[in-house]
Amino acid sequence: MIVITGATGTIGSEIVRQLIERGVKVRAVTRDPDRARFPGGVEVVRGDYADTASMAAAMTGAEAAFLVGLLGPDYVELDRALVAAARDAGVRRVVKLSAIGTGDAALGRVGTWHLPGEQAVRDSGVAWTILRPSSFASNTFSWIDPVRAGGPVPNLTGSGAQGVIDPRDVAAVAVAALLSPDHDGRVYTLTGPRALTAHEQAAALSEALGRPIEVIDVPLETAREHMLAAGMSAEFADGAMAGQAYVREGGNARVTGDVEAVLGRPPRGYAEWARDHAAAFTG
Ligand SMILES: NC(=O)c1ccc[n+]([C@@H]2O[C@H](COP(=O)([O-])OP(=O)(O)OC[C@H]3O[C@@H](n4cnc5c(N)ncnc54)[C@H](OP(=O)(O)O)[C@@H]3O)[C@@H](O)[C@H]2O)c1
């Protein structure tokens, strides 16, 4: 039995799908089992990181767990508690979803947000693997509305490139690490095959859709104001903008061979992701 937290999310939902395809027993954790949709055969349980008893119950009887912490300065204790819940329930292997740049001083505070959770995993006494993916290809789902409306898509990262990764590849690496001891004690930095700017991603999406997509560069101060207006804390907005500035300056223009080393094949590129998800942009 493998427990998947964040099971309704981008990476967790794909892990659930891939594990079920392999005939593995899966327990999916969500705060709202009535709303969540999973493939047949998945055991669905209610779990909230803030509710210790629910997470203890969710972890009981599992051999391995996929841990999706919540990103931000307010969630450090919940991240630690999530690891403790797995350890205390006797889970033997955990795979933690972290992020590229974690621990890099140049990234500022956002680069520290996953550190306590990573440290808790290392200190847990449980076999562990840490995944530090680059920017998800699926982040461009945020472009759906402007693309459908024929308007320009917003770009916060200037001409900074990133090793954009397909979430299906992050999930495939997680599945490998959940099912085999070969990845115990490893930290994988997961990227796509090449570093792409947002303009290059828009060009690839444009090619997949067969129509032009314009890009509009958004000043970070404007983006920060939008985040504050949406109710996010100044600390979170500042951290997030420091992350965007890091990308603009070329700090995240990294490509690694970790996906290929684990999966034995190259990672999928953004153009493939765009072709496979084109329908979402056309409505
Ligand atoms: N986006 C990127 O480019 C990127 C790149 C690198 C790393 N990351 C990392 O990826 C992680 C997010 O993963 P994701 O994108 O797969 O997730 P996601 O799509 O943002 O979904 C969040 C998940 O967390 C669950 N969740 C939220 N609050 C919860 C709570 N209090 N208790 C239990 N579950 C809760 C949600 O489940 P329910 O709503 O069903 O309860 C949902 O499944 C972050 O840690 C981020 O740092 C993201």
Side-chain angles (χ1 to χ4, degrees):
M1 166 69 75
I2 298 185
V3 168
I4 308 300
T5 67
T8 59
T10 304
I11 305 299
S13 61
E14 181 59 25
I15 294 175
V16 168
R17 200 189 61 73
Q18 292 185 20
L19 285 173
I20 288 293
E21 227 172 57
R22 288 173 175 232
V24 177
K25 279 174 78 177
V26 175
R27 182 183 293 152
V29 182
T30 170
R31 288 168 295 175
D32 189 353
D34 292 336
R35 192 173 44 97
R37 294 284 166 268
F38 292 106
V42 175
E43 179 189 346
V44 185
V45 297
R46 195 196 77 85
D48 187 324
Y49 301 151
D51 174 353
T52 313
S54 74
M55 291 312 297
M59 293 290 176
T60 299
E63 282 154 47
F66 181 69
L67 307 181
V68 178
L70 304 176
L71 186 67
D74 301 334
Y75 300 118
V76 166
E77 286 314 319
L78 290 187
D79 244 18
R80 291 198 181 108
L82 179 57
V83 179
R87 180 201 59 208
D88 294 349
V91 170
R92 292 208 293 268
R93 170 169 296 111
V94 295
V95 176
K96 175 179 164 55
L97 184 60
S98 178
I100 195 167
T102 293
D104 181 347
L107 189 45
R109 298 183 75 168
V110 64
T112 69
W113 288 346
H114 274 300
L115 280 179
E118 286 196 2
Q119 195 57 46
V121 160
R122 293 171 199 266
D123 294 343
S124 65
V126 175
W128 57 265
T129 307
I130 291 170
L131 308 183
R132 291 177 174 174
S134 188
S135 179
F136 300 165
S138 52
N139 292 348
T140 56
F141 277 141
S142 68
W143 289 350
I144 285 178
D145 287 346
V147 167
R148 284 185 183 176
V153 297
N155 169 32
L156 272 60
T157 49
S159 56
Q162 308 195 73
V164 175
I165 184 159
D166 190 316
R168 293 172 294 189
D169 286 344
V170 179
V173 171
V175 165
L178 286 164
L179 295 178
S180 156
D182 293 353
H183 310 286
D184 291 353
R186 305 294 303 270
V187 179
Y188 292 125
T189 298
L190 305 175
T191 73
R194 40 181 296 244
L196 296 174
T197 65
H199 290 266
E200 288 170 324
Q201 284 187 267
L205 186 58
S206 165
E207 174 89 27
L209 300 181
R211 60 189 163 96
I213 296 174
E214 276 180 50
V215 179
I216 183 162
D217 291 322
V218 177
L220 293 188
E221 189 48 42
T222 308
R224 182 180 180 279
E225 280 162 20
H226 282 292
M227 291 179 85
L228 296 181
M232 293 175 207
S233 72
E235 193 180 358
F236 184 83
D238 288 343
M241 290 308 106
Q244 303 293 351
Y246 175 80
V247 175
R248 283 177 179 231
E249 288 151 19
N252 202 25
R254 291 181 61 196
V255 171
T256 75
D258 287 2
V259 169
E260 182 153 10
V262 174
L263 301 181
R265 60 152 175 87
R268 296 176 169 97
Y270 179 77
E272 181 178 346
W273 182 91
R275 283 194 297 274
D276 291 347
H277 296 86
F281 292 85
T282 51

